Amino acid sequence: AQSVSQHNHHVILSEAASLELGCNYSYGGTVNLFWYVQYPGQHLQLLLKYFSGDPLVKGIKGFEAEFIKSKFSFNLRKPSVQWSDTAEYFCAVNLGFQKLVFGTGTRLLVSP
Amino acid sequence: GAVVSQHPSWVICKSGTSVKIECRSLDFQATTMFWYRQFPKQSLMLMATSNEGSKATYEQGVEKDKFLINHASLTLSTLTVTSAHPEDSSFYICSAPAPSPSNSPLHFGNGTRLTVT
């Protein structure tokens, strides 16, 4: 069965530290990849997505992700985190018509 | 922009009772809506696809008689948890496909936290 793995359940960083959240998926076909963020008390929001083309994708708020097909990975990065980045981050794979498979999420806490 | 409204945001009910959760698409029509469930420290799991004017499609392992889905109009889907038990306590989230053009395939509601006592 298709699955999405996020390696870190909890990450704690200080402001200005660099961030990398891992995401691996198990599916051999063509996939669309997403990172969503959920700030406390808010709904899921799209950070960035990859459909095709340049495997390095830039999203909102300074986030970027790199699709490495050979590694089945789509890791999320940010060079310098801010306190306002405290949230839960979900990696997701679109296997068909708008049907998303999510990872377990990574809860990020950024201390000021 | 397109918004999905979910109500209630939280509910506490007694074991054996039924609870209805509403999901509305505001300012756009959604012939399809998706219901997800999230247990603590676990991923969002797709429960079912709600189809306007026809039966919902349930994912494997989801009891259709327990989780009744009704998509009566192009802007409203409801999920009813029937005869709720403590193990049904979870976070339920609905979503609807974003109207094009959009940079996201789905818009999500804020979720409903259900606690069954």
Side-chain angles (χ1 to χ4, degrees):
Chain A
Q2 299 85 3
S3 66
V4 179
S5 300
Q6 290 182 242
H7 315 301
N8 313 100
H9 296 295
H10 291 91
V11 173
I12 301 174
L13 295 172
S14 299
E15 275 195 315
S18 63
L19 169 72
E20 180 161 2
L21 302 182
C23 173
N24 286 87
Y25 63 93
S26 62
Y27 183 66
T30 301
V31 294
N32 298 322
L33 298 156
F34 307 84
W35 275 97
Y36 282 87
V37 61
Q38 187 171 29
Y39 298 103
Q42 297 187 28
H43 59 85
L44 283 163
Q45 302 172 38
L46 181 69
L47 265 183
L48 47 79
K49 67 182 189 293
Y50 172 80
F51 283 177
S52 63
D54 189 343
L56 184 61
V57 179
K58 295 194 182 298
I60 61 172
K61 305 186 180 185
F63 286 91
E64 65 178 30
E66 185 175 12
F67 170 54
I68 303 179
K69 189 175 181 179
S70 60
K71 294 185 178 180
F72 297 89
S73 70
F74 190 56
N75 292 355
L76 179 70
R77 300 194 291 250
K78 186 170 182 177
S80 176
V81 295
Q82 300 172 318
W83 176 79
S84 57
D85 293 325
T86 293
E88 189 158 16
Y89 294 81
F90 294 92
C91 181
V93 173
N94 184 339
L95 302 179
F97 176 68
Q98 295 156 330
K99 184 174 177 177
L100 293 180
V101 177
F102 285 89
T104 52
T106 297
R107 201 174 290 270
L108 172 65
L109 174 63
V110 180
S111 58
Chain B
V3 173
V4 173
S5 174
Q6 192 172 337
H7 178 80
S9 57
W10 60 271
V11 58
I12 301 173
C13 70
K14 292 186 176 181
S15 186
T17 62
S18 296
V19 173
K20 180 184 286 188
I21 303 170
E22 293 186 348
C23 181
R24 295 181 185 273
S25 57
L26 306 182
D27 301 325
F28 71 100
Q29 295 181 336
T31 56
T32 302
M33 291 185 177
F34 301 92
W35 287 95
Y36 289 84
R37 177 172 56 185
Q38 185 181 26
F39 291 107
K41 300 183 180 180
Q42 295 187 28
S43 176
L44 288 107
M45 299 296 295
L46 180 64
M47 297 175 64
T49 303
S50 172
N51 304 299
E52 189 270 334
S54 64
K55 291 182 180 180
T57 304
Y58 290 82
E59 295 300 305
Q60 191 173 10
V62 178
E63 300 174 59
K64 61 181 180 181
D65 295 329
K66 180 162 189 64
F67 299 99
L68 300 180
I69 291 174
N70 184 17
H71 197 144
S73 77
L74 288 171
T75 59
L76 173 64
S77 175
T78 61
L79 168 67
T80 301
V81 183
T82 62
S83 186
H85 288 93
E87 58 264 31
D88 299 323
S89 297
S90 186
F91 191 59
Y92 294 86
I93 304 175
C94 72
S95 66
S100 59
S102 173
N103 67 347
S104 172
L106 293 174
H107 287 288
F108 289 87
N110 283 353
T112 298
R113 187 162 299 282
L114 169 63
T115 302
V116 184
T117 60

mmCIF file of all heavy atoms in Angstrom, chain A residues 23-57:
data_model
loop_
_atom_site.group_PDB
_atom_site.id
_atom_site.type_symbol
_atom_site.label_atom_id
_atom_site.label_comp_id
_atom_site.label_asym_id
_atom_site.label_seq_id
_atom_site.Cartn_x
_atom_site.Cartn_y
_atom_site.Cartn_z
ATOM 1 N N CYS A 23 10.755 13.481 4.492
ATOM 2 C CA CYS A 23 9.525 12.873 3.978
ATOM 3 C C CYS A 23 9.907 11.856 2.916
ATOM 4 O O CYS A 23 10.606 12.193 1.951
ATOM 5 C CB CYS A 23 8.601 13.930 3.385
ATOM 6 S SG CYS A 23 7.142 13.242 2.553
ATOM 7 N N ASN A 24 9.456 10.634 3.105
ATOM 8 C CA ASN A 24 9.650 9.602 2.095
ATOM 9 C C ASN A 24 8.316 8.969 1.769
ATOM 10 O O ASN A 24 7.443 8.854 2.623
ATOM 11 C CB ASN A 24 10.615 8.522 2.601
ATOM 12 C CG ASN A 24 12.045 8.989 2.630
ATOM 13 O OD1 ASN A 24 12.499 9.574 3.614
ATOM 14 N ND2 ASN A 24 12.755 8.767 1.550
ATOM 15 N N TYR A 25 8.163 8.558 0.544
ATOM 16 C CA TYR A 25 6.913 7.939 0.132
ATOM 17 C C TYR A 25 7.222 6.612 -0.541
ATOM 18 O O TYR A 25 8.325 6.387 -1.056
ATOM 19 C CB TYR A 25 6.134 8.863 -0.818
ATOM 20 C CG TYR A 25 6.851 9.148 -2.114
ATOM 21 C CD1 TYR A 25 6.620 8.374 -3.240
ATOM 22 C CD2 TYR A 25 7.784 10.183 -2.197
ATOM 23 C CE1 TYR A 25 7.302 8.616 -4.416
ATOM 24 C CE2 TYR A 25 8.463 10.428 -3.370
ATOM 25 C CZ TYR A 25 8.225 9.643 -4.471
ATOM 26 O OH TYR A 25 8.919 9.882 -5.636
ATOM 27 N N SER A 26 6.237 5.751 -0.527
ATOM 28 C CA SER A 26 6.412 4.460 -1.181
ATOM 29 C C SER A 26 5.367 4.345 -2.269
ATOM 30 O O SER A 26 4.209 4.060 -1.996
ATOM 31 C CB SER A 26 6.257 3.318 -0.181
ATOM 32 O OG SER A 26 4.960 3.314 0.362
ATOM 33 N N TYR A 27 5.772 4.652 -3.475
ATOM 34 C CA TYR A 27 4.894 4.517 -4.642
ATOM 35 C C TYR A 27 5.768 4.626 -5.872
ATOM 36 O O TYR A 27 6.578 5.546 -5.980
ATOM 37 C CB TYR A 27 3.829 5.606 -4.646
ATOM 38 C CG TYR A 27 2.853 5.468 -5.796
ATOM 39 C CD1 TYR A 27 1.985 4.381 -5.867
ATOM 40 C CD2 TYR A 27 2.805 6.413 -6.811
ATOM 41 C CE1 TYR A 27 1.106 4.238 -6.919
ATOM 42 C CE2 TYR A 27 1.932 6.285 -7.861
ATOM 43 C CZ TYR A 27 1.072 5.201 -7.912
ATOM 44 O OH TYR A 27 0.203 5.059 -8.957
ATOM 45 N N GLY A 28 5.628 3.708 -6.778
ATOM 46 C CA GLY A 28 6.526 3.658 -7.912
ATOM 47 C C GLY A 28 6.117 4.475 -9.113
ATOM 48 O O GLY A 28 6.913 4.674 -10.018
ATOM 49 N N GLY A 29 4.902 4.962 -9.102
ATOM 50 C CA GLY A 29 4.409 5.681 -10.265
ATOM 51 C C GLY A 29 4.618 7.178 -10.157
ATOM 52 O O GLY A 29 5.364 7.669 -9.311
ATOM 53 N N THR A 30 3.952 7.892 -11.012
ATOM 54 C CA THR A 30 4.029 9.357 -10.992
ATOM 55 C C THR A 30 3.249 9.899 -9.806
ATOM 56 O O THR A 30 2.113 9.478 -9.556
ATOM 57 C CB THR A 30 3.442 9.932 -12.289
ATOM 58 O OG1 THR A 30 4.168 9.405 -13.402
ATOM 59 C CG2 THR A 30 3.545 11.453 -12.282
ATOM 60 N N VAL A 31 3.873 10.785 -9.080
ATOM 61 C CA VAL A 31 3.217 11.328 -7.897
ATOM 62 C C VAL A 31 3.270 12.854 -7.924
ATOM 63 O O VAL A 31 4.145 13.451 -8.551
ATOM 64 C CB VAL A 31 3.873 10.842 -6.593
ATOM 65 C CG1 VAL A 31 3.683 9.356 -6.407
ATOM 66 C CG2 VAL A 31 5.358 11.190 -6.565
ATOM 67 N N ASN A 32 2.318 13.429 -7.257
ATOM 68 C CA ASN A 32 2.372 14.852 -6.946
ATOM 69 C C ASN A 32 2.611 14.948 -5.448
ATOM 70 O O ASN A 32 2.014 14.208 -4.671
ATOM 71 C CB ASN A 32 1.060 15.548 -7.319
ATOM 72 C CG ASN A 32 0.778 15.454 -8.803
ATOM 73 O OD1 ASN A 32 1.673 15.539 -9.626
ATOM 74 N ND2 ASN A 32 -0.490 15.295 -9.149
ATOM 75 N N LEU A 33 3.478 15.846 -5.047
ATOM 76 C CA LEU A 33 3.905 15.911 -3.653
ATOM 77 C C LEU A 33 3.595 17.271 -3.055
ATOM 78 O O LEU A 33 3.701 18.293 -3.742
ATOM 79 C CB LEU A 33 5.413 15.635 -3.564
ATOM 80 C CG LEU A 33 5.822 14.252 -4.057
ATOM 81 C CD1 LEU A 33 7.270 14.243 -4.504
ATOM 82 C CD2 LEU A 33 5.602 13.232 -2.955
ATOM 83 N N PHE A 34 3.231 17.252 -1.791
ATOM 84 C CA PHE A 34 2.806 18.478 -1.122
ATOM 85 C C PHE A 34 3.375 18.541 0.293
ATOM 86 O O PHE A 34 3.618 17.514 0.933
ATOM 87 C CB PHE A 34 1.273 18.534 -0.999
ATOM 88 C CG PHE A 34 0.540 18.343 -2.294
ATOM 89 C CD1 PHE A 34 0.268 17.074 -2.771
ATOM 90 C CD2 PHE A 34 0.123 19.437 -3.023
ATOM 91 C CE1 PHE A 34 -0.410 16.895 -3.964
ATOM 92 C CE2 PHE A 34 -0.557 19.268 -4.220
ATOM 93 C CZ PHE A 34 -0.821 17.990 -4.687
ATOM 94 N N TRP A 35 3.553 19.743 0.766
ATOM 95 C CA TRP A 35 3.751 19.996 2.178
ATOM 96 C C TRP A 35 2.651 20.964 2.630
ATOM 97 O O TRP A 35 2.452 22.024 2.028
ATOM 98 C CB TRP A 35 5.116 20.621 2.460
ATOM 99 C CG TRP A 35 6.216 19.612 2.607
ATOM 100 C CD1 TRP A 35 7.103 19.211 1.655
ATOM 101 C CD2 TRP A 35 6.543 18.875 3.792
ATOM 102 N NE1 TRP A 35 7.955 18.273 2.167
ATOM 103 C CE2 TRP A 35 7.648 18.046 3.479
ATOM 104 C CE3 TRP A 35 6.031 18.838 5.095
ATOM 105 C CZ2 TRP A 35 8.240 17.192 4.404
ATOM 106 C CZ3 TRP A 35 6.608 17.993 6.019
ATOM 107 C CH2 TRP A 35 7.708 17.184 5.672
ATOM 108 N N TYR A 36 1.962 20.549 3.683
ATOM 109 C CA TYR A 36 0.946 21.384 4.297
ATOM 110 C C TYR A 36 1.420 21.784 5.696
ATOM 111 O O TYR A 36 2.172 21.054 6.349
ATOM 112 C CB TYR A 36 -0.376 20.636 4.431
ATOM 113 C CG TYR A 36 -1.181 20.534 3.152
ATOM 114 C CD1 TYR A 36 -0.954 19.493 2.244
ATOM 115 C CD2 TYR A 36 -2.168 21.466 2.855
ATOM 116 C CE1 TYR A 36 -1.704 19.397 1.073
ATOM 117 C CE2 TYR A 36 -2.919 21.375 1.691
ATOM 118 C CZ TYR A 36 -2.675 20.342 0.812
ATOM 119 O OH TYR A 36 -3.420 20.249 -0.341
ATOM 120 N N VAL A 37 0.921 22.907 6.160
ATOM 121 C CA VAL A 37 1.235 23.362 7.509
ATOM 122 C C VAL A 37 -0.076 23.660 8.247
ATOM 123 O O VAL A 37 -1.045 24.121 7.642
ATOM 124 C CB VAL A 37 2.136 24.621 7.494
ATOM 125 C CG1 VAL A 37 1.446 25.788 6.779
ATOM 126 C CG2 VAL A 37 2.519 25.041 8.912
ATOM 127 N N GLN A 38 -0.080 23.334 9.516
ATOM 128 C CA GLN A 38 -1.252 23.640 10.348
ATOM 129 C C GLN A 38 -0.779 24.409 11.562
ATOM 130 O O GLN A 38 -0.147 23.836 12.464
ATOM 131 C CB GLN A 38 -1.968 22.357 10.757
ATOM 132 C CG GLN A 38 -3.289 22.600 11.468
ATOM 133 C CD GLN A 38 -4.076 21.320 11.661
ATOM 134 O OE1 GLN A 38 -3.525 20.239 11.767
ATOM 135 N NE2 GLN A 38 -5.399 21.444 11.699
ATOM 136 N N TYR A 39 -1.070 25.703 11.572
ATOM 137 C CA TYR A 39 -0.742 26.520 12.731
ATOM 138 C C TYR A 39 -1.763 26.263 13.829
ATOM 139 O O TYR A 39 -2.890 25.842 13.547
ATOM 140 C CB TYR A 39 -0.708 28.000 12.347
ATOM 141 C CG TYR A 39 0.361 28.324 11.315
ATOM 142 C CD1 TYR A 39 0.021 28.527 9.972
ATOM 143 C CD2 TYR A 39 1.699 28.390 11.671
ATOM 144 C CE1 TYR A 39 0.990 28.792 9.020
ATOM 145 C CE2 TYR A 39 2.676 28.652 10.719
ATOM 146 C CZ TYR A 39 2.313 28.841 9.400
ATOM 147 O OH TYR A 39 3.281 29.094 8.452
ATOM 148 N N PRO A 40 -1.387 26.480 15.071
ATOM 149 C CA PRO A 40 -2.312 26.186 16.182
ATOM 150 C C PRO A 40 -3.676 26.833 15.989
ATOM 151 O O PRO A 40 -3.778 28.031 15.764
ATOM 152 C CB PRO A 40 -1.572 26.766 17.393
ATOM 153 C CG PRO A 40 -0.126 26.694 17.021
ATOM 154 C CD PRO A 40 -0.083 26.966 15.546
ATOM 155 N N GLY A 41 -4.713 26.015 16.048
ATOM 156 C CA GLY A 41 -6.069 26.515 15.937
ATOM 157 C C GLY A 41 -6.514 26.869 14.535
ATOM 158 O O GLY A 41 -7.601 27.410 14.347
ATOM 159 N N GLN A 42 -5.692 26.567 13.549
ATOM 160 C CA GLN A 42 -6.054 26.919 12.173
ATOM 161 C C GLN A 42 -6.161 25.668 11.302
ATOM 162 O O GLN A 42 -5.813 24.575 11.703
ATOM 163 C CB GLN A 42 -5.010 27.871 11.586
ATOM 164 C CG GLN A 42 -4.921 29.211 12.307
ATOM 165 C CD GLN A 42 -4.010 30.189 11.596
ATOM 166 O OE1 GLN A 42 -3.842 30.132 10.381
ATOM 167 N NE2 GLN A 42 -3.424 31.102 12.356
ATOM 168 N N HIS A 43 -6.675 25.887 10.083
ATOM 169 C CA HIS A 43 -6.822 24.762 9.179
ATOM 170 C C HIS A 43 -5.529 24.513 8.416
ATOM 171 O O HIS A 43 -4.604 25.322 8.445
ATOM 172 C CB HIS A 43 -7.974 25.029 8.213
ATOM 173 C CG HIS A 43 -7.788 26.262 7.378
ATOM 174 N ND1 HIS A 43 -7.078 26.268 6.194
ATOM 175 C CD2 HIS A 43 -8.212 27.530 7.545
ATOM 176 C CE1 HIS A 43 -7.083 27.483 5.685
ATOM 177 N NE2 HIS A 43 -7.760 28.279 6.491
ATOM 178 N N LEU A 44 -5.484 23.390 7.755
ATOM 179 C CA LEU A 44 -4.324 23.046 6.937
ATOM 180 C C LEU A 44 -4.162 24.049 5.797
ATOM 181 O O LEU A 44 -5.123 24.415 5.134
ATOM 182 C CB LEU A 44 -4.482 21.652 6.344
ATOM 183 C CG LEU A 44 -4.228 20.471 7.272
ATOM 184 C CD1 LEU A 44 -4.814 19.208 6.675
ATOM 185 C CD2 LEU A 44 -2.749 20.304 7.522
ATOM 186 N N GLN A 45 -2.915 24.447 5.588
ATOM 187 C CA GLN A 45 -2.622 25.363 4.486
ATOM 188 C C GLN A 45 -1.499 24.779 3.651
ATOM 189 O O GLN A 45 -0.588 24.133 4.176
ATOM 190 C CB GLN A 45 -2.171 26.725 5.019
ATOM 191 C CG GLN A 45 -3.148 27.412 5.917
ATOM 192 C CD GLN A 45 -2.560 28.652 6.549
ATOM 193 O OE1 GLN A 45 -1.807 29.399 5.915
ATOM 194 N NE2 GLN A 45 -2.896 28.900 7.802
ATOM 195 N N LEU A 46 -1.561 25.031 2.355
ATOM 196 C CA LEU A 46 -0.522 24.531 1.467
ATOM 197 C C LEU A 46 0.737 25.387 1.580
ATOM 198 O O LEU A 46 0.680 26.606 1.474
ATOM 199 C CB LEU A 46 -1.021 24.552 0.026
ATOM 200 C CG LEU A 46 -0.044 24.020 -1.016
ATOM 201 C CD1 LEU A 46 0.141 22.515 -0.845
ATOM 202 C CD2 LEU A 46 -0.547 24.331 -2.416
ATOM 203 N N LEU A 47 1.868 24.732 1.808
ATOM 204 C CA LEU A 47 3.161 25.416 1.832
ATOM 205 C C LEU A 47 3.782 25.432 0.444
ATOM 206 O O LEU A 47 4.264 26.454 -0.026
ATOM 207 C CB LEU A 47 4.132 24.698 2.764
ATOM 208 C CG LEU A 47 4.279 25.163 4.203
ATOM 209 C CD1 LEU A 47 5.348 24.336 4.899
ATOM 210 C CD2 LEU A 47 4.614 26.635 4.281
ATOM 211 N N LEU A 48 3.806 24.258 -0.170
ATOM 212 C CA LEU A 48 4.378 24.145 -1.506
ATOM 213 C C LEU A 48 3.968 22.816 -2.105
ATOM 214 O O LEU A 48 3.465 21.936 -1.407
ATOM 215 C CB LEU A 48 5.912 24.271 -1.466
ATOM 216 C CG LEU A 48 6.669 23.456 -0.433
ATOM 217 C CD1 LEU A 48 6.838 22.015 -0.855
ATOM 218 C CD2 LEU A 48 8.055 24.066 -0.165
ATOM 219 N N LYS A 49 4.187 22.704 -3.404
ATOM 220 C CA LYS A 49 3.820 21.471 -4.088
ATOM 221 C C LYS A 49 4.802 21.199 -5.215
ATOM 222 O O LYS A 49 5.450 22.114 -5.734
ATOM 223 C CB LYS A 49 2.403 21.566 -4.641
ATOM 224 C CG LYS A 49 2.232 22.573 -5.773
ATOM 225 C CD LYS A 49 0.802 22.645 -6.215
ATOM 226 C CE LYS A 49 0.642 23.472 -7.494
ATOM 227 N NZ LYS A 49 0.944 24.888 -7.303
ATOM 228 N N TYR A 50 4.905 19.941 -5.582
ATOM 229 C CA TYR A 50 5.694 19.538 -6.738
ATOM 230 C C TYR A 50 4.804 18.701 -7.644
ATOM 231 O O TYR A 50 4.248 17.674 -7.230
ATOM 232 C CB TYR A 50 6.927 18.728 -6.331
ATOM 233 C CG TYR A 50 7.630 18.139 -7.527
ATOM 234 C CD1 TYR A 50 8.487 18.924 -8.298
ATOM 235 C CD2 TYR A 50 7.425 16.821 -7.916
ATOM 236 C CE1 TYR A 50 9.106 18.403 -9.422
ATOM 237 C CE2 TYR A 50 8.043 16.296 -9.027
ATOM 238 C CZ TYR A 50 8.883 17.094 -9.785
ATOM 239 O OH TYR A 50 9.504 16.580 -10.892
ATOM 240 N N PHE A 51 4.727 19.107 -8.911
ATOM 241 C CA PHE A 51 4.012 18.329 -9.913
ATOM 242 C C PHE A 51 4.991 17.784 -10.948
ATOM 243 O O PHE A 51 4.952 16.613 -11.299
ATOM 244 C CB PHE A 51 2.944 19.182 -10.606
ATOM 245 C CG PHE A 51 1.702 19.403 -9.779
ATOM 246 C CD1 PHE A 51 0.671 20.203 -10.242
ATOM 247 C CD2 PHE A 51 1.546 18.817 -8.532
ATOM 248 C CE1 PHE A 51 -0.477 20.407 -9.490
ATOM 249 C CE2 PHE A 51 0.415 19.016 -7.770
ATOM 250 C CZ PHE A 51 -0.609 19.822 -8.259
ATOM 251 N N SER A 52 5.862 18.650 -11.441
ATOM 252 C CA SER A 52 6.845 18.249 -12.448
ATOM 253 C C SER A 52 7.850 19.388 -12.605
ATOM 254 O O SER A 52 7.698 20.451 -12.007
ATOM 255 C CB SER A 52 6.173 17.937 -13.784
ATOM 256 O OG SER A 52 5.555 19.099 -14.300
ATOM 257 N N GLY A 53 8.896 19.145 -13.403
ATOM 258 C CA GLY A 53 9.861 20.200 -13.679
ATOM 259 C C GLY A 53 10.964 20.265 -12.648
ATOM 260 O O GLY A 53 11.423 19.236 -12.143
ATOM 261 N N ASP A 54 11.383 21.459 -12.323
ATOM 262 C CA ASP A 54 12.489 21.672 -11.389
ATOM 263 C C ASP A 54 12.195 20.964 -10.066
ATOM 264 O O ASP A 54 11.193 21.246 -9.421
ATOM 265 C CB ASP A 54 12.677 23.168 -11.153
ATOM 266 C CG ASP A 54 13.953 23.492 -10.372
ATOM 267 O OD1 ASP A 54 14.521 22.568 -9.732
ATOM 268 O OD2 ASP A 54 14.369 24.659 -10.397
ATOM 269 N N PRO A 55 13.072 20.036 -9.666
ATOM 270 C CA PRO A 55 12.800 19.294 -8.433
ATOM 271 C C PRO A 55 12.972 20.125 -7.166
ATOM 272 O O PRO A 55 12.564 19.696 -6.092
ATOM 273 C CB PRO A 55 13.824 18.157 -8.479
ATOM 274 C CG PRO A 55 14.922 18.672 -9.337
ATOM 275 C CD PRO A 55 14.271 19.548 -10.352
ATOM 276 N N LEU A 56 13.561 21.285 -7.283
ATOM 277 C CA LEU A 56 13.679 22.170 -6.130
ATOM 278 C C LEU A 56 12.517 23.162 -6.192
ATOM 279 O O LEU A 56 12.451 24.005 -7.088
ATOM 280 C CB LEU A 56 15.024 22.901 -6.132
ATOM 281 C CG LEU A 56 15.283 23.791 -4.909
ATOM 282 C CD1 LEU A 56 15.289 22.960 -3.629
ATOM 283 C CD2 LEU A 56 16.598 24.525 -5.080
ATOM 284 N N VAL A 57 11.635 23.038 -5.238
ATOM 285 C CA VAL A 57 10.411 23.824 -5.248
ATOM 286 C C VAL A 57 10.454 24.859 -4.136
ATOM 287 O O VAL A 57 10.807 24.541 -3.005
ATOM 288 C CB VAL A 57 9.193 22.899 -5.035
ATOM 289 C CG1 VAL A 57 7.914 23.710 -5.023
ATOM 290 C CG2 VAL A 57 9.147 21.836 -6.101
#
